[in-house]
Amino acid sequence: MNKHSMFSGSAWILSFFMLSIATVGFASERKVNMNANWKFHRGCMANAEQPAFNDSQWKVIDLPHDWSVEPVPVQREGITLGPFSRLSIGGADTGQTVGGEGWYRKEFTLLPEDAGKNLSLYFEGAYNQSEVWINGQKVCFTPYGYMPFRINITPFCKAPGTPNTVAVKVINEGLNSRWYAGSGIYRHVWLIKTAKVHLDEWDTFIDASKLEGKKAIVNIHTLVHNSALKEKSGKLHIRILSPTRAEVCSTIKEVAVQKDSSQPLSFALDVPKPMLWSVDTPNLYTAYLSVSTDGGETNTQERDEIAIPFGIRTIEFNAREGFLLNGKPLKLKGGCLHHDNGLLGAVAIDRAEERKVELMKANGFNAVRCAHNLPSEYFLQACDRLGLLVIDEVFDQWQQAKRPQDYHQYFDEWSEHDMATMVRRDRNHPSIILWSIGNEIAERADDPTGVDIAKKLIATIEQYDTTRFTTAGVNAFWDRRQFTWEKDSERAFRHLDVAGYNYQWTKYEEDHAGFPERVMYGSESVPKEAAQNWNLIDKHPYLIGDFVWTAVDYLGEAGLAHTLELAPGERSPQFMGWPWYNAWCGDIDFCGDKKPQSYYRDILWNRRDISLAVQPPVAEGKKEDINYWGWKNELLSWNWQGMEGQTMTVHVYSRSPKVRLYLNDRLIGEKATSADSYTASFEVGYEPGLLKAVNVKGKKETASAELRTAGSPASVRLTADRSEIRADKNDLSYVKIEVVDAEGNVVPDCSLPVEIKQSGAGRVLAAGNASADDMASFRSLQPKVFRGKAIAIVQPDTETGVISLTVSAKGLPEATISIKTHQ
């Protein structure tokens, strides 16, 4: 299965340019960041769209912004705690947070040189149901909070030198999401200024998926737009620069564009000896496209230029070899990922988006499924730069609702537009390998309704890109009791190129027998079934990978992965109530640290030779109940004060046939690891000291892993992920806070409160810990450490200098760290 490119344009496309740059604060003649100095009001407000409205009492904020992680305005004892409320409409779905209505206002003034230009406002994301006014005139409504939207504001703006007012109303009300969505303008906003004859990145598609011998054939398709009231002629110049910034090819073509229309153009350029993009070598080329026209009577030349990073690579899927990247088989070590950034809420600061990609790469993932909506642009740019494959997904529902006020009410009118927006915005990212048309769609196997919708959505994709493949996350028919997997699942997969199986690993081999050409993968799986999934993926080429739910902890679906001790007759709920707010199912927690299940996954993926974790005894008369998405109650800890002599279960994870366990140099025993789960379990009476697990090969001991009893808290240790950052609010430093003993070991049973203070050229934007139910510590400057750890997220001002962070805890010396900021 291999696809080649086609191109289709659309006349309604607005003038716009999205240059891939790392610093959102950068302003150019063409693209200006609009994040700073908005006025914000939380709640309903009459006439706030009018320019004369008095907003002097409104709060001044910078974007991106998410009001649902800010404290509820009126705090009521026993009812609210910071941003959380027992009266939250979303409840466990949204992590006990509150939505509502919010208003944003901003003034901007055009420069003299902007006279006669096309002007567009670009919102990368605002949740939800956004309305925009320019100088009191309504110019836009968009219902889907994950969709970027662009507005041609040229007819509504005042002459240069006269202030313009933009007002935005954002509504996040009712039961509209199954997870934490955030509220407000949570991604960047831009002002785009172009000449009458101009280019548009969304209208420019670079197909670099064809290799011939020692060259790559790069097909470039674009539209040249002319919004002038007369025909314009000029030249289109294309240059391609290599990853080393050397020009590798170029071309020039004459172009004539009728008045108020667009002219499609296509080019095929040869790139010799291409440097291919892959997960290990994410080489990026850049295409520069510029159009220049004569100014006519003014005798001045008009020019517009865009720059588009892209990667040269081939992708292919087939049941005999699996997924091929540049002709070589590659198993997808994947994780599903929601869009939020933990303690930051939905705010999409570039560094936070980049850090998610870094965490996934550092923990062995090579692929991500964006669940279940478009990610930020910068997240995809980071995936391109760092080498993380992407399944880009757009919908969690079609016509039938999952929540009463969700996107289903807009699907018929907006779905094709929104699908086209996803593909047009994202198709130049080499990291993207699959377009997903939905997740666990209710009508997925309904015939003709669901089958026809899938066909229509795929046809929309193929208008704009045929170089990639289509997929969806398909679940069992627990919601369609009249259907069975054996008889009815074929309809859900009928029009898809690659079949995504949500939690259906038991069906892989049976379905392969019935559909031997079907390419499959685990679009969602749970940690406790990781070995069963990965063993099958290792075994069969038609199984191309697995995506765990989830890679990183996220807000909402509170307590989805809980583990409880239950007495006979007690039943475990699917979600947890107050004070839980975090789903807790991630391999990686809110502080960026590995949870026990991640160490186990390292064994499955051959990233680690051996690991061990400790499970304390269950209370008498009770049994451990692990929710489906959960993990057993184990810790990488040998600190169990007060439990001396009690029997602990020590799980040793290894691919070695045999392992040994020692306690304080005393052999506890030797056991064979299970061939199915790579696990050997030992019962050990607790005594402080050193617990050590060792692989045994023949008679020889090889790799080992240790857990050591930490001493009493002695100090606070601060570690910044980066000690030098840009003097830009779009950059961050993540400072890890650890309580350690005299020898520098983290004290894993410590829950001391700490106090965080900052001074200098920045502030602590958010702080807290990784706990799923410690609401008091969420975004607090006085959080408790959880299992000995907390984190502070530091945001710089726009001036160079030094940010000083001081952390104290009762009975311990203060710790200080400095972070330098530079231009």
PDB file of all heavy atoms in Angstrom, residues 632-646:
ATOM      1  N   LYS A 632      -0.922  -2.064  39.140  1.00  0.00           N
ATOM      2  CA  LYS A 632      -0.907  -2.511  40.532  1.00  0.00           C
ATOM      3  C   LYS A 632      -0.224  -1.487  41.440  1.00  0.00           C
ATOM      4  O   LYS A 632       0.608  -0.696  41.005  1.00  0.00           O
ATOM      5  CB  LYS A 632      -0.244  -3.875  40.652  1.00  0.00           C
ATOM      6  CG  LYS A 632       1.100  -4.017  40.009  1.00  0.00           C
ATOM      7  CD  LYS A 632       1.576  -5.457  40.121  1.00  0.00           C
ATOM      8  CE  LYS A 632       2.769  -5.763  39.238  1.00  0.00           C
ATOM      9  NZ  LYS A 632       2.450  -5.819  37.807  1.00  0.00           N
ATOM     10  N   ASN A 633      -0.572  -1.518  42.702  1.00  0.00           N
ATOM     11  CA  ASN A 633      -0.061  -0.553  43.672  1.00  0.00           C
ATOM     12  C   ASN A 633       1.361  -0.922  44.057  1.00  0.00           C
ATOM     13  O   ASN A 633       1.624  -1.525  45.091  1.00  0.00           O
ATOM     14  CB  ASN A 633      -0.953  -0.526  44.912  1.00  0.00           C
ATOM     15  CG  ASN A 633      -0.461   0.472  45.943  1.00  0.00           C
ATOM     16  OD1 ASN A 633       0.115   1.490  45.590  1.00  0.00           O
ATOM     17  ND2 ASN A 633      -0.681   0.164  47.212  1.00  0.00           N
ATOM     18  N   GLU A 634       2.298  -0.553  43.194  1.00  0.00           N
ATOM     19  CA  GLU A 634       3.699  -0.835  43.456  1.00  0.00           C
ATOM     20  C   GLU A 634       4.510   0.440  43.294  1.00  0.00           C
ATOM     21  O   GLU A 634       4.104   1.369  42.581  1.00  0.00           O
ATOM     22  CB  GLU A 634       4.241  -1.923  42.534  1.00  0.00           C
ATOM     23  CG  GLU A 634       4.271  -1.525  41.070  1.00  0.00           C
ATOM     24  CD  GLU A 634       4.931  -2.569  40.179  1.00  0.00           C
ATOM     25  OE1 GLU A 634       5.110  -3.705  40.624  1.00  0.00           O
ATOM     26  OE2 GLU A 634       5.272  -2.229  39.033  1.00  0.00           O
ATOM     27  N   LEU A 635       5.646   0.490  43.964  1.00  0.00           N
ATOM     28  CA  LEU A 635       6.518   1.653  43.905  1.00  0.00           C
ATOM     29  C   LEU A 635       7.957   1.208  43.716  1.00  0.00           C
ATOM     30  O   LEU A 635       8.338   0.101  44.146  1.00  0.00           O
ATOM     31  CB  LEU A 635       6.421   2.477  45.189  1.00  0.00           C
ATOM     32  CG  LEU A 635       5.068   3.098  45.531  1.00  0.00           C
ATOM     33  CD1 LEU A 635       5.132   3.754  46.904  1.00  0.00           C
ATOM     34  CD2 LEU A 635       4.668   4.116  44.477  1.00  0.00           C
ATOM     35  N   LEU A 636       8.733   2.055  43.119  1.00  0.00           N
ATOM     36  CA  LEU A 636      10.176   1.820  43.075  1.00  0.00           C
ATOM     37  C   LEU A 636      10.763   2.379  44.360  1.00  0.00           C
ATOM     38  O   LEU A 636      11.434   3.422  44.373  1.00  0.00           O
ATOM     39  CB  LEU A 636      10.794   2.488  41.840  1.00  0.00           C
ATOM     40  CG  LEU A 636      10.775   1.647  40.560  1.00  0.00           C
ATOM     41  CD1 LEU A 636       9.367   1.545  39.988  1.00  0.00           C
ATOM     42  CD2 LEU A 636      11.688   2.266  39.501  1.00  0.00           C
ATOM     43  N   SER A 637      10.472   1.702  45.444  1.00  0.00           N
ATOM     44  CA  SER A 637      10.841   2.208  46.768  1.00  0.00           C
ATOM     45  C   SER A 637      11.092   1.043  47.714  1.00  0.00           C
ATOM     46  O   SER A 637      10.375   0.045  47.697  1.00  0.00           O
ATOM     47  CB  SER A 637       9.711   3.090  47.318  1.00  0.00           C
ATOM     48  OG  SER A 637       9.929   3.409  48.670  1.00  0.00           O
ATOM     49  N   TRP A 638      12.090   1.212  48.583  1.00  0.00           N
ATOM     50  CA  TRP A 638      12.325   0.286  49.685  1.00  0.00           C
ATOM     51  C   TRP A 638      12.308   1.073  51.000  1.00  0.00           C
ATOM     52  O   TRP A 638      13.069   0.832  51.911  1.00  0.00           O
ATOM     53  CB  TRP A 638      13.636  -0.471  49.476  1.00  0.00           C
ATOM     54  CG  TRP A 638      13.784  -1.706  50.315  1.00  0.00           C
ATOM     55  CD1 TRP A 638      14.788  -1.986  51.198  1.00  0.00           C
ATOM     56  CD2 TRP A 638      12.895  -2.833  50.366  1.00  0.00           C
ATOM     57  NE1 TRP A 638      14.594  -3.214  51.798  1.00  0.00           N
ATOM     58  CE2 TRP A 638      13.438  -3.762  51.301  1.00  0.00           C
ATOM     59  CE3 TRP A 638      11.699  -3.167  49.734  1.00  0.00           C
ATOM     60  CZ2 TRP A 638      12.823  -4.982  51.603  1.00  0.00           C
ATOM     61  CZ3 TRP A 638      11.091  -4.382  50.025  1.00  0.00           C
ATOM     62  CH2 TRP A 638      11.657  -5.273  50.954  1.00  0.00           C
ATOM     63  N   ASN A 639      11.390   2.020  51.055  1.00  0.00           N
ATOM     64  CA  ASN A 639      11.128   2.800  52.266  1.00  0.00           C
ATOM     65  C   ASN A 639       9.726   2.461  52.763  1.00  0.00           C
ATOM     66  O   ASN A 639       8.730   2.920  52.190  1.00  0.00           O
ATOM     67  CB  ASN A 639      11.206   4.310  51.977  1.00  0.00           C
ATOM     68  CG  ASN A 639      12.591   4.857  52.125  1.00  0.00           C
ATOM     69  OD1 ASN A 639      13.530   4.354  51.495  1.00  0.00           O
ATOM     70  ND2 ASN A 639      12.750   5.885  52.943  1.00  0.00           N
ATOM     71  N   TRP A 640       9.657   1.644  53.797  1.00  0.00           N
ATOM     72  CA  TRP A 640       8.363   1.217  54.333  1.00  0.00           C
ATOM     73  C   TRP A 640       8.417   1.266  55.862  1.00  0.00           C
ATOM     74  O   TRP A 640       8.199   0.275  56.545  1.00  0.00           O
ATOM     75  CB  TRP A 640       8.007  -0.184  53.829  1.00  0.00           C
ATOM     76  CG  TRP A 640       8.010  -0.265  52.330  1.00  0.00           C
ATOM     77  CD1 TRP A 640       9.026  -0.676  51.534  1.00  0.00           C
ATOM     78  CD2 TRP A 640       6.931   0.130  51.459  1.00  0.00           C
ATOM     79  NE1 TRP A 640       8.676  -0.581  50.202  1.00  0.00           N
ATOM     80  CE2 TRP A 640       7.389  -0.094  50.129  1.00  0.00           C
ATOM     81  CE3 TRP A 640       5.653   0.629  51.668  1.00  0.00           C
ATOM     82  CZ2 TRP A 640       6.588   0.174  49.018  1.00  0.00           C
ATOM     83  CZ3 TRP A 640       4.862   0.891  50.559  1.00  0.00           C
ATOM     84  CH2 TRP A 640       5.324   0.667  49.266  1.00  0.00           C
ATOM     85  N   GLN A 641       8.714   2.441  56.367  1.00  0.00           N
ATOM     86  CA  GLN A 641       8.851   2.604  57.819  1.00  0.00           C
ATOM     87  C   GLN A 641       7.560   2.201  58.528  1.00  0.00           C
ATOM     88  O   GLN A 641       6.462   2.533  58.104  1.00  0.00           O
ATOM     89  CB  GLN A 641       9.186   4.063  58.151  1.00  0.00           C
ATOM     90  CG  GLN A 641       9.505   4.293  59.609  1.00  0.00           C
ATOM     91  CD  GLN A 641       9.942   5.728  59.879  1.00  0.00           C
ATOM     92  OE1 GLN A 641       9.941   6.558  58.987  1.00  0.00           O
ATOM     93  NE2 GLN A 641      10.309   6.015  61.111  1.00  0.00           N
ATOM     94  N   GLY A 642       7.715   1.457  59.621  1.00  0.00           N
ATOM     95  CA  GLY A 642       6.573   0.978  60.389  1.00  0.00           C
ATOM     96  C   GLY A 642       6.026  -0.344  59.905  1.00  0.00           C
ATOM     97  O   GLY A 642       5.090  -0.882  60.506  1.00  0.00           O
ATOM     98  N   MET A 643       6.585  -0.888  58.802  1.00  0.00           N
ATOM     99  CA  MET A 643       6.101  -2.153  58.258  1.00  0.00           C
ATOM    100  C   MET A 643       7.186  -3.233  58.339  1.00  0.00           C
ATOM    101  O   MET A 643       7.141  -4.222  57.614  1.00  0.00           O
ATOM    102  CB  MET A 643       5.643  -1.959  56.803  1.00  0.00           C
ATOM    103  CG  MET A 643       4.533  -0.929  56.645  1.00  0.00           C
ATOM    104  SD  MET A 643       3.943  -0.730  54.951  1.00  0.00           S
ATOM    105  CE  MET A 643       3.072  -2.281  54.714  1.00  0.00           C
ATOM    106  N   GLU A 644       8.142  -3.034  59.245  1.00  0.00           N
ATOM    107  CA  GLU A 644       9.216  -4.017  59.406  1.00  0.00           C
ATOM    108  C   GLU A 644       8.633  -5.393  59.670  1.00  0.00           C
ATOM    109  O   GLU A 644       7.723  -5.556  60.507  1.00  0.00           O
ATOM    110  CB  GLU A 644      10.146  -3.600  60.540  1.00  0.00           C
ATOM    111  CG  GLU A 644      11.048  -2.414  60.212  1.00  0.00           C
ATOM    112  CD  GLU A 644      10.345  -1.069  60.268  1.00  0.00           C
ATOM    113  OE1 GLU A 644       9.156  -1.029  60.700  1.00  0.00           O
ATOM    114  OE2 GLU A 644      10.948  -0.055  59.871  1.00  0.00           O
ATOM    115  N   GLY A 645       9.157  -6.387  58.973  1.00  0.00           N
ATOM    116  CA  GLY A 645       8.718  -7.759  59.153  1.00  0.00           C
ATOM    117  C   GLY A 645       7.515  -8.151  58.324  1.00  0.00           C
ATOM    118  O   GLY A 645       7.229  -9.342  58.174  1.00  0.00           O
ATOM    119  N   GLN A 646       6.793  -7.184  57.799  1.00  0.00           N
ATOM    120  CA  GLN A 646       5.629  -7.511  56.979  1.00  0.00           C
ATOM    121  C   GLN A 646       6.078  -7.965  55.583  1.00  0.00           C
ATOM    122  O   GLN A 646       7.115  -7.543  55.071  1.00  0.00           O
ATOM    123  CB  GLN A 646       4.689  -6.317  56.862  1.00  0.00           C
ATOM    124  CG  GLN A 646       4.036  -5.923  58.187  1.00  0.00           C
ATOM    125  CD  GLN A 646       2.913  -4.935  57.996  1.00  0.00           C
ATOM    126  OE1 GLN A 646       2.123  -5.053  57.052  1.00  0.00           O
ATOM    127  NE2 GLN A 646       2.814  -3.958  58.891  1.00  0.00           N
TER     128      GLN A 646
END
